[in-house]
Amino acid sequence: MLTFQQLQSITQGKEVQFVRPLPIVHLLTDSRKLSQPAGSVFFAIHGKYNDGHTYLPQLYTQGVRAFVLEQGEPEELKRLYPEANILLVRNSLEALQKLAAWHRAQFAIPVIGITGSNGKTIVKEWLSQLLSTDELVVKSPRSYNSQLGVPLSVWQLQPNHTLGIFEAGISQPGEMEKLQPIIRPTLGIFTNIGTAHDEGFASREQKVQEKLKLFKEVELLFYCSDFELLHQAVLLQSINSFTWSRQHPEANLYINATTTAGHRTIVVYTFAREKQRLALPFTDEASVENALHCLAILLHRRLPLSEIQDRLDRLHPVAMRLEMKEAINGCYLIDDTYNNDLAGLTIALNLQASQPQRGQHTLILSDVLESGLPEAELYRKVAELVQAHQVQRLIGIGPTIRKYSHLFPKGDFYTSTTDFLKAFNPDAFRNEVILVKGARVFGFERIVQAFQQKVHGTVLEVNLDALVHNLNYYRAKLTPDTRLMVMVKAFAYGSGSFEVANLLQFHRVDYLAVAYVDEGVALRENGITLPIMVMNPSPDSFPKLRQYSLEPEIYALEQLQAFVASLEPEAKYKIHLKLDTGMHRLGFENEDFEALFALLAQHPQVQVASTFSHLAGADEAIHNDFSQLQISRFRSMATALEERLKYKIIKHILNSAGIVRFPEHQLDMVRLGIGLYGVEATGSEQEALRPVSTLKTTVSQVKSIKQGDTVGYSRKGIADVDKITATIAVGYADGYDRRFSNGVGEVLINGRRCPIIGNVCMDMCMVDVTGVPVRPGDAVTVFGPELTLVELAQRIGTIPYELLTNVSTRVKRIFYSE
């Protein structure tokens, strides 16, 4: 067991204080994910968006007694944390990486290192499935392949493991040199080379060279030699390799032909001078390429063809994301079926713990398979995780977890999924956050179906990771002292107010803003504690403002008079004053100030928390002079306010576009709106953002129509030739604008763009799928990364805001984290 005393020599750090010997079991880098203080060492990383040192007092109070820090005066640290072991290092992330590299060096087992532009996670997961029959595998959880994720992955290595599979991703030169000694692969896989992270490198050649640094000590590197740039680089460095190819017969594994047969791909290949044939359970090109990497590994291990085919037949798609869905009786479901190892369980429990309490937290868990640990030790660890994450109810499914039911104080146990469903009583689950996590063989999708609300097949998928990416993109533009208010009005621009607000609270934004009081009330009732500004409060809502600690925007004298008239004399209240600097929508003007100050002086219990204004044309350079005029007016008016109030107030005028175009005017706070949801309002930096929302539906029916036939209401769709049409389950009642009728709009089906034919109906519309392989039940993308809101808005002469906020509340939202 590693102890804190060993850290100094491993990390070359300076010991500030050593109180007592402590084992190091858990590496903690995020204060929000603390579950087991005993045995945790916190690495305070000074990151691009956050500084871990800020959270030392909180963690110390919660029981953490081991810290690795980059900064702090030794005597002050001793005074503040008298019971803690403390180490000072030059760079906490580098110290963590050195510790992981030291840990890796304690094991002599084979390790497969995987890098490439795409497919790393899929290949890793599939190899784990394919090799778990022979090996006790430890692997990167999900896509933990970054400078931080790799050391946390490798830290999982234990003496019982016989094979490690770790992925590594880089975005700029110099990063792989830090990851190589942590993974130290004995075998390597380079999946492919593409455009991902091109912007971080001077050239594609440089990117290949940097990624190849992972394999400087490998015994064998597996790759497709059809990537000529990669192939030449490998030859130049004389790396021992196993190649596969569709183009070069001299490759170790030559793919003679691939043909599609139903839902399988038949592969004819030559290996060791013998021509063979097998079937892959996939037809899409990306999956076939990933499976061929895996085939190369299996052939290298000299498995019999029959055994390879048997294992490939059992290969299943990888669940790349955790999905959060509304469920019966006010419950919330976190769907993590088909993924059930200890590392994955920890990640899923962290997500569950980040949700505010909506009743109790429930975990439905199957037997944990192929962990490599003795049963008693495994379920002791599971019980510790369940307790540490404050799960109130456990439902265990499987003969093994039932055998160890005595380790779980509160739980119901069933031998099989079928037994659970026979006993399932929907009324026993109300207002809970339910994590469903099971190994594939248990078929937990049936449990998910039992819990889900019955809705039609149109869904809005909200990518929480993309939302965090966009949040951090804008945060990186702010000075350290600039606060951040985020707009979650209009159902969080259609994305889902509570879920988005909860994520923003988890990521510690400073303020939220909603349009109406009832939106703020709903957030409060769902556990949101951040300050909330209400932009359109009405007099009849003032009691609710006070009851739920909501802060009104005040923009007119008569509105302020009504507000103060409703107040109790002893209590204090915060308000936000809106100033009109030229938009001429709402707000106080200079001539209103005397009456405003007089009224505020009569009611000292009313405190002005902030003052702000709204830029009318920040998104367009043509209005730069007017924007600068507005900003100048605002600065002058805000200064006058502070002078008369005689206390500091928060000042803010920049919106999403303003953050990009006028960074010198951040003042005390900025307001982030549409940019959070993946639309860069100025259009100049759209590529830096990730789309957050994808609207999907399904094909209801496919029809053949003859030349001259008409389609839809008013017979607006006319077939100029014989056509195939598909009816899809989305219409203007779902928010799909009727202006997309008659070829203006397109949707994506099986990767092909298909135009709308005829008028958009209330609940459905028809598309021309002539020449596209389509059948009922196929998925349809209405908008998303490949068919963007920006493009669609331009087609009908509107703005992305309208399309996003128009998605009906009857459309089910699915929130997911990759």
Side-chain angles (χ1 to χ4, degrees), residues 19-34:
V19 177
R20 64 184 185 278
L22 292 173
I24 295 175
V25 182
H26 311 293
L27 306 184
L28 181 65
T29 61
D30 188 333
S31 63
R32 297 164 297 191
K33 297 179 180 178
L34 174 67

Side-chain angles (χ1 to χ4, degrees), residues 112-144:
I112 300 174
I114 305 174
T115 194
S117 295
N118 303 103
K120 298 183 290 294
T121 302
I122 298 290
V123 172
K124 175 204 67 188
E125 294 291 337
W126 282 355
L127 279 178
S128 177
Q129 293 176 34
L130 293 165
L131 299 178
S132 59
T133 303
D134 314 312
E135 309 282 0
L136 294 175
V137 179
V138 58
K139 59 184 173 66
S140 309
R142 296 198 174 269
S143 55
Y144 273 40

Side-chain angles (χ1 to χ4, degrees), residues 651-696:
K651 297 172 286 294
H652 48 111
I653 192 170
L654 297 188
N655 54 9
S656 296
I659 295 170
V660 173
R661 304 195 64 247
F662 306 108
E664 69 277 16
H665 297 298
Q666 292 176 13
L667 304 178
D668 303 307
M669 187 159 68
V670 297
R671 301 187 303 275
L672 178 58
I674 191 66
L676 180 71
Y677 306 96
V679 178
E680 203 284 283
T682 73
S684 61
E685 300 186 19
Q686 182 60 49
E687 293 303 313
L689 299 183
R690 291 178 58 187
V692 168
S693 300
T694 300
L695 182 61
K696 288 185 175 180

Side-chain angles (χ1 to χ4, degrees), residues 321 323-326 452-463 491 494-495 692-699 728-731 734-736 763 778-785 803-804 807-816:
R321 63 194 202 182
E323 290 188 347
M324 298 191 295
K325 311 168 182 177
E326 292 183 3
Q452 278 196 260
Q453 292 181 323
K454 302 300 180 185
V455 293
H456 70 92
T458 301
V459 298
L460 185 72
E461 296 182 347
V462 180
N463 185 337
F491 201 45
S495 299
V692 168
S693 300
T694 300
L695 182 61
K696 288 185 175 180
T697 188
T698 57
V699 173
I728 61 176
V730 66
D734 302 297
Y736 191 59
D763 307 301
D778 281 354
V780 180
T781 298
V782 181
F783 63 71
L803 300 185
L804 199 54
V807 177
S808 169
T809 53
R810 83 174 186 177
V811 173
K812 177 178 147 187
R813 269 69 174 170
I814 293 177
F815 303 86
Y816 68 93

